[in-house]
Structure formats: C-alpha cells, structure tokens
Amino acid sequence: MRATGIIVEYNPLHNGHLYHLQEARKQTKADIIIAIMSGSFVQRGEPAIISKELRTKWALEAGCDLVFELPVRFAVQQADIFASAAVQLLKDLKTDALFFGSENGDAAQFRTTAKLASSSLFEETLRQTLTEKKLSYGEAYTETLASFTNELDVTKPNNILGLHYALANEKQKANLELYSLKRTNDYHSTDANSNDFASATALRKLLLENSLPAIKKKVPDFVYASLENYQAPLLSFSSTYPYLRYRLLSDRNESLTAINSVTEGIENRLRRAALEETAENFLRATVTKRYSAARIRRTAMQILLQFQKTDQPENYLRLLGMTKQGQAYLSTIKKELSLPLVSTPSKVSQELIQYDIQASRFYHLLEGNSAQLNAEFSARPLLYF
Amino acid sequence: MRATGIIVEYNPLHNGHLYHLQEARKQTKADIIIAIMSGSFVQRGEPAIISKELRTKWALEAGCDLVFELPVRFAVQQADIFASAAVQLLKDLKTDALFFGSENGDAAQFRTTAKLASSSLFEETLRQTLTEKKLSYGEAYTETLASFTNELDVTKPNNILGLHYALANEKQKANLELYSLKRTNDYHSTDANSNDFASATALRKLLLENSLPAIKKKVPDFVYASLENYQAPLLSFSSTYPYLRYRLLSDRNESLTAINSVTEGIENRLRRAALEETAENFLRATVTKRYSAARIRRTAMQILLQFQKTDQPENYLRLLGMTKQGQAYLSTIKKELSLPLVSTPSKVSQELIQYDIQASRFYHLLEGNSAQLNAEFSARPLLYF
C-alpha cells in the first residue's frame, strides 16, 4: 500500500485543509493518508482552540486513515524542530510521500534549496548571522538563505516550514517523495470562489468572537455540525495567561532559565510584561523584531509546560485514530517500527509520555473539565470504521 | 528602654489580640512593643485574608511600636521553624521579654518543659517515635513529650507554639523573659462578656461569607472601619487553588519533590486530590491523621511559592511599620544588629528577599491587583507618628 504523509494542526479543520487532503490522495496516488497532528498545544504557542479528540475525528472524517500526535515537546517548537520530529514519525511509518502546502508550490525548489541549506557552509553562515545581528532565528535564516539562493521566498511561513520538511527529509534520509500544493493567497479576497476559503487564524478569531455562523461556508459540514454541538470552552493564548503570569511573577530565575527556549535574558522581558493584565498587552509588550509573537507564545507555553533544557525528549508514535484501512496498513509495518507505538498512554513508560500527559491535564484544566483531567492515561485511539 | 516582643498574624486583628497587646505592655512593663508578624501568607498555609499593609496599620493603631515581617520562608512552616525564626528576630532586636498567648498561661511550665524537650534524650525519642509510628510531627511531638512530662498539654495549638518559643529561647540563648497570657476558651460561649471575643478562624469565616456586621463587636472600631472600606478581595486557601491545581497537574515529579516539605511521597496524594474541583474537596481528600489540614495547606503554599529543599534561606528584619518611639528604640540598637535590616526591599540583595518578593507578587495576583504587583520592591515602612 502506498502511504502519503501530511503534517497538520486542523485548528480548526477548514475547506482549505480538506482540499489539501483530497489533492494529497489524488496527486500522490495514495492508498493511505497518514496525518501527523499537533495535540493539545500547537506550533504557534497556544492551546488548540478545540480538543485533539474532536480534531482527530475531523481528520478521519475528512479522509485521513491514520492520525498520530506529534508529541507536545516537538509540536510547540520552532519550525526546524517541529518539522524534523514530524518527518521522523513519517519515516518510521514507512511513508512514501509527503504532501505539504506552501506559498511556493513547487516541490523541486524545496529539494534543491534543502540541499543548499544542509551544507556545512550554510550552517556556518547562519550561526555567524545569528551571532552578529539582532535577528530572530527565522529572520536570520531568511537572510542567510537569501545570500545563497533566491529560489524560495522563506519569508512566507509555509515555505519555511516546507523547507524544514525537505531539510529533515535530506538529513534523516527519510526518502519521502516531496509534493507541494500551492496555497491560495486569496483568503481575504471577496470574490465568490475564494469565499469558500479562510485561514485558520481568521476562523479562530471568528469562533472566539462567538461568530460561528460566519464560518459556515468556510468549513466542511461535519466540522460545522460538531462546532454547533461543542460544549467545552474554546481555548486561546489568553486562557493560559493567568497561569503564565503566576509563573513569571513567582518563579525563581533558575527555574525560568532552565526552560528550553528561555535564552538571551528573555525571562526579564517576559517578567516585566507579566505586569500587564491582559494577554494581548503582554504580547504587545514583548514582541519585537527579534522575538516574533509565535516565538514569545512558544516560550510562554514551554514555561507553562516546563520543557527542561536538560532533558532529551524521545519521539514516539501516539496513535489518536484510524480507519479500517489505516489499521490494516499499520499491521503490515508494526513489526518494523523503531519508535514506540503508543495506543494507550497508561501502558507505556511514564517517562516517555510525561509531557503529553501534563499537556493534556493542563488543557482540561483550562477547559474547566475536571472529569477529563486524567482521561489521557486510559485514552484509546478513535476507531472510524 | 524596655522592649517586649509579641509574635502575631492579626488575620484579622480582634479584641482578643488587643487585650493580649495591652496586657503585654502592662504585665511586662514594656516601653516598646515589638511585633513579629507573618506577611502575605500565614502559618496555617494560606494567604492572609487581608493585606499585610493594612494588618501593619492595625498593629500600630493597636499599640505596637515596631512591626517586623517574619519572612515567608519561615512563616509558612511548622511550629518549630516558625517559632525559631521569630525568636531569632526578637533576640537580634535586643528584646527583653516575650509575651505570648497560650491555653496553659503559666510561663514557668513552658520554661521547664522546654528544658526537658531540648535534651538530647528527648530528641532521640522523638526521632524514634516519628520513624516507628504513622504520626504527624505534631502528634509525635505530643506523644513523646507526654512520656517525659504532663505539665503542659501540647495537644493545644497555642501551647505547642509557646513551647517552641521557649525552646528557641533556650537553644538560641536569647534570654527572653517569658510571659504567657491564658487564652480564654469561651470563644463559642454566648454570655455577654465573652461575646466580645471570637477566634480569628471564626472571624475569617464570617468575613468570607460577607457577614461583616456580625463581627462588629469582636474587633476594635478602627479594624471594623477599615474593613468597611477595604476594596481588595478577601483571600483564602481557595483563592490559590486554581494555581495549586495547575502545579500539581503539570509539574514534574522532580520539581515537586524538590520542595521543602514534599516528603514521604505526599506529592502523589496531592496530585490525586488535585482532580477535585474545589479547595474544600481537595482538603477533604488529603487530610489524614498523619497529615493535618495545616500541614497540607502549608505544603501547598510551599509548592506555590517554590520553597526549595536545597536553599538555605537567611532570616532578616523587614521593617513594616513603626511609631515615633519605635523609631527611637530602633536607632539605639541599629548598630548592634547582626541580621540585615530591610526598610525598602529594592535596596538590598535580591537573593535575600526573593521569596518575599514572589510572595507579595503572588498575593497581589490573587487579589487581581496588577498595579501593585511590584509594589513590594519600593515599599517603605509605615510611619505611625
């Protein structure tokens, strides 16, 4: 069976995602679609607006055959770490192809740029740029890359992510055939056709404003129906802010600087900004040219979830859901997996899964859902047969 | 000038406290009354119901001349640590006498019992009792003491505290003359006379139930007037519970077991109980014969304020307020102080004061008072001239 991987967050799943998924199956001639999905917390550094359980159901309803969770320790990270861990999972799952959206849309350009960017000369130049200039990692990357090639515009968020997929593919010798779907840039256009598409950011904004009907045309019917019935509160960066403030106002310096991306004295900037009463003002007070909003939010989540610099998290295959075909595919490759396959967290090493257990508990705490606090332990994959 | 020390929390200050203060001045023939007071968090393991600033004002209005804060690292601790740190401050302040309330009321019995209980034979027996029986520290202490002497009933909370004052006095050679005022046990009596007295616990309960008028007769007029005008929310253990849950649900084991009184696997009991939605049920699920409610709450506060086992906190003299006479007394002894005198926290080593700064920030966060989050840095002693 031919398997194609996609790397998603479905936060929430919208028509653009559905199109991407259908094209993935068509263009790559896939028998099986494997989705690697962020869980309770997403790459932009905030809780997913909707629980991972419902997003898994969406993924399966939309046509994915297997849904695996990208462990939170890798999901709430900058593009290179995020991409590398996702590609590692796909490689272990014997995936044949990777189909990703990008502003560029030409997979060949990602391959050639990745070859360039994985050279030691590039890495050295990047290190130098980071040291010499007050730039964020993303900006330094863009600038360095521009001095090598102009083929790929890596100021675009999906291009940079795609490049890191291609780079990881190269470095890990994952042998994934790369396919890219050009993302439409017409999200905000008003003509009738593009009206069916909106970015996940725009949709989250509408959802948080309680404007559910406004997104009706932008999401598949099954998504809309489940959103109409969704009982839990919708979460955002703001939901976490009281806890973030508590940490920033009362944690000791040693405790903050022990956290993964707390570097360069950013803790002082964050601490000062924690005097602000709202998450919005906190971000306004912290975001600079050097520190993007995503970087700040990710650092905040890493503080809240206590990602320690000293630990070396292992990647693993947390199965969230599958179709009959997905199950059949999995059984053919099960014996060859080198990463731990986790169906029910309580049955594996607690060391391995601890960050995801904590993340799940924190997510339910934010929802105010006490009954589900320990649900992740005994969770079973969703069977969509 | 003759100085008498009292060790207080004034949470809130009531008629019993006022009587104790007046008797202290009278019985010990004091020129100066020095109060050592818990700050934002109190010994029973919860935030003070009222800010330390207002409680300082009350102390001065009630007749204290100098008010020093017992640093939080010593205040939110079991009786022996609490008492020892308070006595250390009084010793350094050249206090002549210590006047404390107790159920027993006979200072001589505290002195003789302290002599017994500071023997190495006693300490050995206590250690053995703790090891062999599933008892709380307090219970083991009581049992051990009972095998030595019956003079003092140390099942009574104020007797045990008094005994630890006497013990600290002995061990530190503080040379404080001990005086004890017998506490009336008629708190719940209904006759007219005892009606003027109620325990701080009873008063907090009424205040938290918004029954301010019900306490009018139990507190001095100046306390009542300021409570009528108090704008900030009244805090309790419940106020801290969302943050406690977050910590217990998402902190790593290593992080919890690094905390001061997290021993004997109590973290597992606390973690499980954090599934409970209310602070009340959390306590119900954790309190046992071995772990008193005060012990559980203290452990909880130590987790929230991150008291590390590894650090060795230093005691210091944080001056919260003074009268003219208090100031005059302080200037006569200033040069002989061996502990740091702190009038404005920003002007001293941040290492020294960090726990109190964090405690103050957390207190204001619980109040929802963003404007005051950093107020403790630049705070000045209250002058009551």
Side-chain angles (χ1 to χ4, degrees):
Chain A
M1 282 189 279
R2 189 170 154 82
T4 293
I6 57 177
I7 298 163
V8 302
E9 297 202 305
Y10 291 161
N11 187 34
L13 189 147
H14 56 60
N15 291 343
H17 292 132
L18 190 62
Y19 177 67
H20 165 260
L21 179 51
Q22 289 162 346
E23 287 299 304
R25 196 176 280 277
K26 196 162 75 184
Q27 291 187 30
T28 69
K29 301 186 171 54
D31 299 305
I32 292 292
I33 298 283
I34 303 177
I36 308 298
M37 189 175 83
S38 302
S40 300
F41 293 83
V42 296
Q43 207 237 337
R44 66 199 305 273
E46 58 187 28
I49 190 168
I50 301 283
S51 75
K52 70 179 182 187
E53 288 77 15
L54 181 52
R55 283 153 52 232
T56 299
K57 186 156 172 276
W58 289 343
L60 295 168
E61 282 182 292
C64 296
D65 296 293
L66 286 163
V67 184
F68 289 94
E69 178 174 351
L70 184 63
V72 69
R73 199 65 174 73
F74 305 104
V76 183
Q77 292 285 4
Q78 58 194 37
D80 54 343
I81 300 174
F82 176 94
S84 166
V87 166
Q88 189 190 14
L89 296 185
L90 290 176
K91 180 189 177 190
D92 210 44
L93 291 163
K94 317 283 178 238
T95 314
D96 300 288
L98 169 59
F99 191 87
F100 60 93
S102 71
E103 291 84 0
N104 179 291
D106 180 357
Q109 294 195 359
F110 286 90
R111 271 192 300 271
T112 54
T113 308
K115 282 216 163 61
L116 265 174
S118 56
S119 69
S120 56
L121 178 60
F122 177 88
E123 278 173 10
E124 202 179 298
T125 316
L126 174 62
R127 240 190 327 273
Q128 228 170 323
T129 310
L130 271 169
T131 319
E132 287 167 12
K133 302 189 181 177
K134 286 209 162 250
L135 296 173
S136 72
Y137 181 84
E139 288 170 328
Y141 205 97
T142 309
E143 188 172 312
T144 309
L145 202 64
S147 68
F148 281 72
T149 170
N150 281 319
E151 228 174 37
L152 198 62
D153 178 1
V154 287
T155 62
K156 298 282 189 275
N158 290 280
N159 282 350
I160 187 96
L161 218 41
L163 176 60
H164 282 294
Y165 296 145
L167 271 167
N169 192 32
E170 187 79 19
K171 287 185 192 167
Q172 297 176 30
K173 301 196 196 325
N175 288 322
L176 301 171
E177 302 161 28
L178 299 185
Y179 292 81
S180 189
L181 176 70
K182 194 175 169 67
R183 279 173 64 117
T184 161
N185 288 318
D186 298 324
Y187 287 150
H188 304 293
S189 161
T190 49
D191 76 54
N193 202 23
S194 68
N195 234 358
D196 292 347
F197 295 96
S199 71
T201 303
L203 296 179
R204 282 194 303 275
K205 187 164 179 293
L206 288 167
L207 284 172
L208 291 170
E209 287 165 357
N210 279 315
S211 307
L212 181 58
I215 76 161
K216 194 168 178 38
K217 287 178 67 182
K218 320 283 186 182
V219 299
D221 288 345
F222 61 87
V223 169
Y224 191 77
S226 61
L227 284 174
E228 280 186 313
N229 294 316
Y230 194 64
Q231 300 294 325
L234 302 173
L235 300 188
S236 67
F237 181 69
S238 292
S239 321
T240 70
Y241 190 55
Y243 302 96
L244 179 64
R245 280 184 103 189
Y246 157 65
R247 279 263 184 214
L248 291 174
L249 294 171
S250 72
D251 268 10
R252 314 178 77 195
N253 257 330
E254 304 91 281
S255 168
L256 287 177
T257 54
I259 301 302
N260 205 233
S261 61
V262 178
T263 53
E264 308 162 355
I266 197 175
E267 69 278 11
N268 301 315
R269 169 175 291 275
L270 298 177
R271 267 192 203 283
R272 271 195 307 275
L275 299 176
E276 299 290 343
E277 268 188 28
T278 66
E280 223 171 28
N281 287 342
F282 171 81
L283 287 174
R284 206 165 287 142
T286 45
V287 172
T288 61
K289 193 170 153 57
R290 187 173 180 74
Y291 299 113
S292 67
R295 162 75 201 272
I296 294 288
R297 283 191 306 255
R298 272 198 295 272
T299 305
M301 287 312 115
Q302 294 186 5
I303 290 170
L304 282 166
L305 297 170
Q306 294 285 291
F307 289 8
Q308 305 288 320
K309 276 175 185 150
T310 49
D311 61 22
Q312 302 190 309
E314 284 178 78
N315 208 351
Y316 66 98
L317 290 156
R318 165 85 170 93
L319 180 60
L320 291 177
M322 56 186 167
T323 61
K324 202 90 185 160
Q325 297 96 302
Q327 189 181 40
Y329 176 79
L330 192 55
S331 70
T332 66
I333 59 159
K334 221 171 204 170
K335 286 185 180 155
E336 299 164 69
L337 294 176
S338 61
L339 295 174
L341 177 64
V342 179
S343 295
T344 298
S346 63
K347 294 187 179 161
V348 300
S349 143
Q350 298 305 295
E351 175 76 16
L352 181 70
I353 56 161
Q354 64 172 337
Y355 280 110
D356 289 288
I357 291 292
Q358 287 161 210
S360 168
R361 282 199 192 122
F362 185 38
Y363 193 86
H364 292 307
L365 183 69
L366 293 173
E367 288 183 317
N369 187 344
S370 293
Q372 291 297 304
L373 283 171
N374 264 346
E376 183 66 6
F377 271 117
S378 50
R380 303 273 313 141
L382 180 63
L383 304 182
Y384 189 77
F385 287 0
Chain B
M1 281 189 280
R2 189 169 153 82
T4 292
I6 57 176
I7 298 164
V8 302
E9 298 202 305
Y10 292 161
N11 187 34
L13 189 146
H14 56 60
N15 291 343
H17 293 132
L18 190 62
Y19 177 67
H20 164 261
L21 180 51
Q22 288 162 346
E23 287 299 304
R25 196 176 282 274
K26 196 162 76 183
Q27 292 187 28
T28 70
K29 302 187 171 53
D31 300 304
I32 293 292
I33 299 282
I34 303 177
I36 307 299
M37 189 176 82
S38 301
S40 299
F41 293 83
V42 296
Q43 206 238 338
R44 66 198 308 272
E46 60 186 28
I49 189 167
I50 301 284
S51 75
K52 70 178 181 187
E53 289 76 17
L54 181 51
R55 282 153 53 233
T56 299
K57 187 157 171 277
W58 288 343
L60 294 168
E61 283 183 291
C64 297
D65 295 294
L66 286 163
V67 184
F68 289 94
E69 179 173 350
L70 184 62
V72 69
R73 198 68 171 74
F74 305 104
V76 184
Q77 293 284 5
Q78 57 193 37
D80 54 341
I81 300 174
F82 176 94
S84 165
V87 166
Q88 189 189 15
L89 296 184
L90 290 176
K91 180 190 177 191
D92 211 44
L93 290 163
K94 317 284 178 240
T95 313
D96 299 290
L98 169 60
F99 191 87
F100 61 93
S102 70
E103 292 82 0
N104 178 292
D106 180 357
Q109 294 194 356
F110 286 91
R111 271 192 301 271
T112 54
T113 308
K115 280 216 164 60
L116 266 173
S118 56
S119 68
S120 55
L121 178 61
F122 177 88
E123 279 174 8
E124 201 179 298
T125 316
L126 173 61
R127 240 192 325 274
Q128 228 171 322
T129 310
L130 272 168
T131 318
E132 286 166 13
K133 300 190 180 176
K134 286 209 163 251
L135 297 174
S136 73
Y137 181 85
E139 288 169 327
Y141 205 96
T142 309
E143 188 172 312
T144 310
L145 202 63
S147 68
F148 281 72
T149 169
N150 281 318
E151 225 173 41
L152 199 62
D153 178 1
V154 287
T155 62
K156 298 281 188 278
N158 290 280
N159 282 350
I160 186 97
L161 217 42
L163 175 60
H164 283 294
Y165 296 145
L167 272 166
N169 192 33
E170 187 79 21
K171 287 186 190 165
Q172 297 176 30
K173 302 194 197 324
N175 288 323
L176 300 171
E177 302 160 28
L178 299 185
Y179 292 81
S180 190
L181 178 69
K182 193 175 170 67
R183 280 174 64 118
T184 160
N185 288 318
D186 298 322
Y187 287 151
H188 303 294
S189 162
T190 49
D191 76 56
N193 201 23
S194 69
N195 235 357
D196 291 348
F197 295 95
S199 71
T201 302
L203 295 178
R204 282 194 303 275
K205 187 163 178 295
L206 288 167
L207 284 172
L208 291 171
E209 287 166 354
N210 279 315
S211 307
L212 181 58
I215 77 162
K216 194 168 177 36
K217 287 179 67 184
K218 320 282 186 185
V219 299
D221 288 346
F222 62 86
V223 169
Y224 191 77
S226 60
L227 284 174
E228 281 186 312
N229 294 315
Y230 194 65
Q231 300 293 326
L234 303 173
L235 300 188
S236 67
F237 181 70
S238 292
S239 322
T240 69
Y241 190 55
Y243 302 96
L244 178 64
R245 280 185 104 187
Y246 157 65
R247 279 263 184 215
L248 291 175
L249 294 171
S250 70
D251 267 11
R252 313 178 79 196
N253 258 329
E254 304 92 282
S255 167
L256 286 178
T257 53
I259 301 302
N260 204 233
S261 60
V262 178
T263 52
E264 309 163 355
I266 198 176
E267 69 278 10
N268 302 314
R269 170 175 289 274
L270 298 177
R271 268 192 201 284
R272 271 195 307 274
L275 299 177
E276 299 290 343
E277 266 187 30
T278 66
E280 224 171 26
N281 287 342
F282 170 82
L283 287 174
R284 206 165 288 141
T286 45
V287 171
T288 61
K289 193 168 153 58
R290 187 172 180 74
Y291 299 113
S292 68
R295 162 75 200 273
I296 294 288
R297 284 191 306 255
R298 271 197 296 271
T299 305
M301 286 313 115
Q302 294 185 5
I303 290 170
L304 282 165
L305 297 170
Q306 294 285 289
F307 289 8
Q308 305 290 319
K309 277 175 184 150
T310 49
D311 61 22
Q312 302 190 307
E314 284 179 78
N315 208 351
Y316 66 96
L317 289 157
R318 165 86 170 93
L319 179 61
L320 291 176
M322 56 186 168
T323 61
K324 201 88 184 161
Q325 297 97 300
Q327 189 180 43
Y329 176 80
L330 192 57
S331 70
T332 65
I333 60 160
K334 220 171 205 170
K335 285 185 181 153
E336 299 163 70
L337 295 175
S338 61
L339 295 173
L341 177 65
V342 179
S343 295
T344 297
S346 64
K347 294 187 180 160
V348 299
S349 144
Q350 297 304 294
E351 176 76 15
L352 181 70
I353 57 162
Q354 64 173 338
Y355 280 110
D356 289 288
I357 291 291
Q358 286 162 208
S360 167
R361 282 199 191 121
F362 185 39
Y363 193 87
H364 291 307
L365 183 69
L366 292 172
E367 288 183 318
N369 188 344
S370 294
Q372 291 297 304
L373 284 171
N374 264 346
E376 183 66 7
F377 271 118
S378 50
R380 302 273 314 141
L382 179 62
L383 304 181
Y384 190 75
F385 287 1

